[in-house]
Amino acid sequence: MSDYIIEMNHITKEFPGIIANDDITLQLKKGEIHALLGENGAGKSTLMSVLFGMYKPEKGEIRKNGEVVSINDPNDATALGIGMVHQHFKLVEVFSVLDNIILGAETTKLGFIKKKEARAKVVELSNRYGLNVDPDAKIEDITVGMQQRTEILKMLYRDNEILIFDEPTAVLTPQEIDELMSIMKNLAKEGKSILFITHKLNEIMAVSDRVSVLRKGKYIGTVDTDKTSVEELSEMMVGRKVQLVVDKEPANPGKEVFKVENLSIKSKTHSKNAVNNVSFSVRSGEIVCIAGIDGNGQSEFVQGITGLEQLSSGKIILDGEDITSKSIRYRNTHGMSHIPEDRHKHGLVLDYTLEQNMVLQRYYEDEFSKGGFIKFDAVREYSDKLIEQFDVRSGQGSVTVSRSMSGGNQQKAIVAREMDREHDLLVAVQPTRGLDVGAIEYIHKQIVKERDNGKAVLLISLELEEVMSLSDRILVMYEGEIVGELDPKQTTVQELGLYMAGAKRDDGREAKHE
């Protein structure tokens, strides 16, 4: 009997212009949490997609309990007890949570689905692992964190014993991350074996037994978590020492650039407002962060100020001009840049090339078009410049189809495009979601540079560390309202957490305003 429940031996997987996995060997012990660490585009998701049957490797073999197995598609993987929660969820938005969980694994009697039994099993699993998911809610109406729990329930419902988590915490709040960590530990205690792809070194230290590191498609090594450090892992991953703390001078705020007055937005799911009577301003040369637990109105607020969502009341003022009823393009051309929360839905046209995405909001400008025709050479030159400047890695450069790039490099492309456009206000929503330490370090430096160049930055982040280290002022949003304004130099993560959970509020906020 093998010591390992899964062995991936000498796996090589190629795509046009790139070797994603170059002779990689990975071994998973029964009942362990094994972290897979690497930069964006290092080949982690590709390797796990090979194990889950989504890709067929050019070379190598997979063994389960010492025996060679053939995995041609996800059905083969499921039959072998392998389940996967993907970084970008595979859920049907108009279906309920329950329908998504049983999809493809329905138990039937006389051609009818036995929903009652399925529901009972889902509720039991949800309670046992503390997932607290409403089985009757529609996917399109629940938070990203809840969607991820639905994906976890899908695996548990199918009695999978090998669980692959691809960037499971990229979309979760600090509290949800802690809950997920304890869920993972409970799963491992019950004998499940977990492969856990992540960029977040503190999570690896908290939850994993061993870590394997990939860099640019190659295997670097495997270490025991209790015998390594965050610094050592980041150096293995990036190939150089990484600055883990944001280095910035004190802010020097100037004139008021952006202001919202009594802004409210109706909720799509219940009778209360999603955003309720929010007022604040952002000045040039400062980073103001809206912190909060996911689902407290931040998404609706951003969609309201960027023109994607209708306001029910209130005013939006940019550079002294009331832009409340202006179009999205008008906002784009009059000083607003926006790094969106969902890079697939609102950030990129996935089937366009990288260069097409780089000029999405500017293709009609004189620099890129003449007489109604696009100047392709100018577009290519501009795209190549941004790719180099922001270190966007892709198989075929500017002509790479955006869908084929890793999530982190898709994010870097959006950051490059939005920061390079003419703007006075940068609205950055979860700008480092799903990025590795090297890329996070880079993007944090860019955001600080924006501030130091006199831009106003409105940051919306669920990452407490990011909130504390990047912001000059913190506004906490709870149930659609700003419940506190904090100075990151004079507050603690614990105090911030109390505001975020609604346990503390400061209604005399205006008095504290500089």
Side-chain angles (χ1 to χ4, degrees):
M1 188 73 177
S2 169
D3 287 346
Y4 301 109
I5 188 165
I6 287 288
E7 293 169 86
M8 301 183 77
N9 296 325
H10 306 292
I11 300 292
T12 296
K13 177 67 199 158
E14 297 178 23
F15 295 109
I18 198 163
I19 300 175
N21 295 148
D22 189 352
D23 191 28
I24 292 175
T25 293
L26 179 73
Q27 296 163 317
L28 174 68
K29 293 176 181 171
K30 186 164 175 59
E32 81 165 336
I33 299 176
H34 192 120
L36 191 56
L37 176 68
E39 288 186 277
N40 302 303
K44 310 178 300 294
S45 296
T46 303
L47 188 67
M48 290 301 96
S49 295
V50 166
L51 180 57
F52 193 57
M54 294 175 74
Y55 295 139
K56 196 93 173 113
E58 274 70 37
K59 292 180 195 152
E61 64 169 21
I62 298 172
R63 291 173 178 262
K64 185 183 175 198
N65 294 324
E67 292 184 14
V68 176
V69 292
S70 174
I71 305 177
N72 296 307
D73 57 41
N75 291 333
D76 289 348
T78 304
L80 288 164
I82 300 168
M84 182 167 181
V85 174
H86 300 268
Q87 186 178 358
H88 299 289
F89 308 141
K90 312 284 184 190
L91 297 170
V92 183
E93 293 217 333
V94 294
F95 279 16
S96 71
V97 166
L98 178 63
D99 290 339
N100 269 284
I101 290 168
I102 64 175
L103 189 61
E106 301 89 345
T107 44
T108 57
K109 189 175 183 182
L110 303 174
F112 291 95
I113 296 173
K114 297 204 284 194
K115 272 255 181 103
K116 203 172 171 186
E117 290 171 27
R119 194 176 191 285
K121 182 174 175 181
V122 166
V123 169
E124 190 270 319
L125 286 168
S126 177
N127 292 339
R128 191 194 322 168
Y129 294 105
L131 292 163
N132 306 322
V133 175
D134 174 5
D136 304 314
K138 267 194 182 172
I139 294 296
E140 62 188 357
D141 294 337
I142 61 176
T143 66
V144 180
M146 282 297 168
Q147 289 179 25
Q148 193 202 43
R149 291 170 180 221
T150 305
E151 286 277 22
I152 295 170
L153 275 170
K154 257 166 73 173
M155 293 197 296
L156 298 174
Y157 185 81
R158 285 158 178 72
D159 303 321
N160 293 143
E161 53 179 334
I162 296 138
L163 312 180
I164 304 167
F165 288 86
D166 186 358
E167 298 289 351
T169 62
V171 291
L172 301 186
T173 64
Q175 285 84 345
E176 286 173 326
I177 289 170
D178 290 342
E179 286 162 17
L180 177 68
M181 296 287 142
S182 57
I183 288 165
M184 285 166 78
K185 284 178 177 166
N186 289 342
L187 289 165
K189 270 192 207 127
E190 290 203 1
K192 308 260 187 219
S193 309
I194 296 173
L195 279 161
F196 168 42
I197 302 178
T198 185
H199 299 118
K200 298 182 183 173
L201 299 163
N202 53 346
E203 288 169 11
I204 285 178
M205 301 307 283
V207 83
S208 70
D209 300 304
R210 292 191 302 150
V211 191
S212 291
V213 182
L214 303 185
R215 191 192 317 145
K216 293 185 179 170
K218 288 184 163 43
Y219 172 74
I220 301 299
T222 299
V223 292
D224 291 333
T225 310
D226 56 6
K227 295 189 180 116
T228 189
S229 67
V230 165
E231 288 73 20
E232 192 184 329
L233 286 175
S234 61
E235 199 169 334
M236 278 176 82
M237 168 172 148
V238 183
R240 61 177 173 83
K241 288 210 177 337
V242 177
Q243 191 181 340
L244 297 168
V245 182
V246 178
D247 185 20
K248 66 183 179 58
E249 298 292 314
N252 186 16
K255 65 179 175 57
E256 185 178 272
V257 170
F258 179 71
K259 189 177 185 185
V260 289
E261 293 176 356
N262 311 113
L263 193 137
S264 294
I265 298 171
K266 286 193 170 69
S267 168
K268 289 195 176 89
T269 53
H270 46 77
S271 55
K272 276 172 74 177
N273 281 342
V275 178
N276 193 36
N277 201 27
V278 166
S279 300
F280 67 88
S281 63
V282 188
R283 291 170 290 179
S284 64
E286 72 169 344
I287 299 169
V288 173
C289 179
I290 295 181
I293 293 168
D294 194 19
N296 275 277
Q298 304 96 315
S299 299
E300 291 87 347
F301 175 77
V302 170
Q303 288 175 358
I305 62 172
T306 53
L308 292 164
E309 188 76 66
Q310 191 85 35
L311 307 187
S312 46
S313 64
K315 265 164 92 169
I316 306 167
I317 294 158
L318 180 62
D319 287 326
E321 181 188 3
D322 185 341
I323 59 162
T324 313
S325 53
K326 299 292 187 188
S327 68
I328 296 173
R329 179 179 280 189
Y330 187 91
R331 294 171 205 224
N332 285 343
T333 54
H334 286 72
M336 185 184 286
S337 273
H338 173 210
I339 299 166
E341 176 180 18
D342 188 329
R343 54 181 165 248
H344 283 182
K345 212 182 249 179
H346 299 127
L348 299 165
V349 180
L350 290 173
D351 292 315
Y352 277 13
T353 60
L354 194 44
E355 64 187 1
Q356 288 168 327
N357 273 297
M358 289 299 198
V359 295
L360 264 187
Q361 298 132 303
R362 300 184 55 192
Y363 62 89
Y364 54 85
E365 291 178 11
D366 290 345
E367 186 184 341
F368 302 118
S369 73
K370 188 176 183 181
F373 291 95
I374 288 176
K375 300 197 288 203
F376 292 106
D377 289 349
V379 170
R380 173 74 48 88
E381 198 179 313
Y382 176 68
S383 173
D384 288 347
K385 181 193 88 173
L386 288 190
I387 287 170
E388 188 178 344
Q389 201 179 323
F390 285 80
D391 188 29
V392 183
R393 295 182 196 169
S394 55
Q396 297 158 290
S398 286
V399 297
T400 307
V401 174
S402 302
R403 188 184 293 281
S404 69
M405 291 162 56
S406 73
N409 282 299
Q410 290 173 348
Q411 185 75 0
K412 280 199 212 168
I414 295 167
V415 168
R417 179 186 71 207
E418 297 302 320
M419 285 190 177
D420 196 71
R421 280 197 303 117
E422 276 295 314
H423 62 281
D424 298 312
L425 170 74
L426 174 68
V427 181
V429 192
Q430 295 282 80
T432 58
R433 170 183 281 177
L435 298 189
D436 58 68
V437 282
I440 289 171
E441 174 196 42
Y442 179 79
I443 285 171
H444 282 173
K445 277 183 180 164
Q446 295 299 318
I447 289 173
V448 171
K449 200 159 119 189
E450 288 273 289
R451 179 201 77 165
D452 293 346
N453 287 340
K455 309 288 187 207
V457 180
L458 179 61
L459 173 71
I460 291 87
S461 179
L462 304 174
E463 302 278 352
L464 280 185
E465 282 173 35
E466 183 166 79
V467 171
M468 293 296 280
S469 60
L470 265 189
S471 341
D472 299 311
R473 276 196 295 140
I474 302 170
L475 303 174
V476 185
M477 194 175 258
Y478 175 71
E479 291 189 346
E481 296 180 2
I482 302 289
V483 294
E485 178 172 328
L486 305 168
D487 179 342
K489 293 197 274 300
Q490 291 172 359
T491 190
T492 61
V493 169
Q494 286 70 24
E495 187 184 18
L496 182 55
L498 288 173
Y499 277 99
M500 285 165 68
K504 192 170 181 184
R505 62 189 293 148
D506 170 23
D507 289 325
R509 198 172 61 78
E510 287 305 308
K512 287 176 68 178
H513 202 347
E514 294 297 330

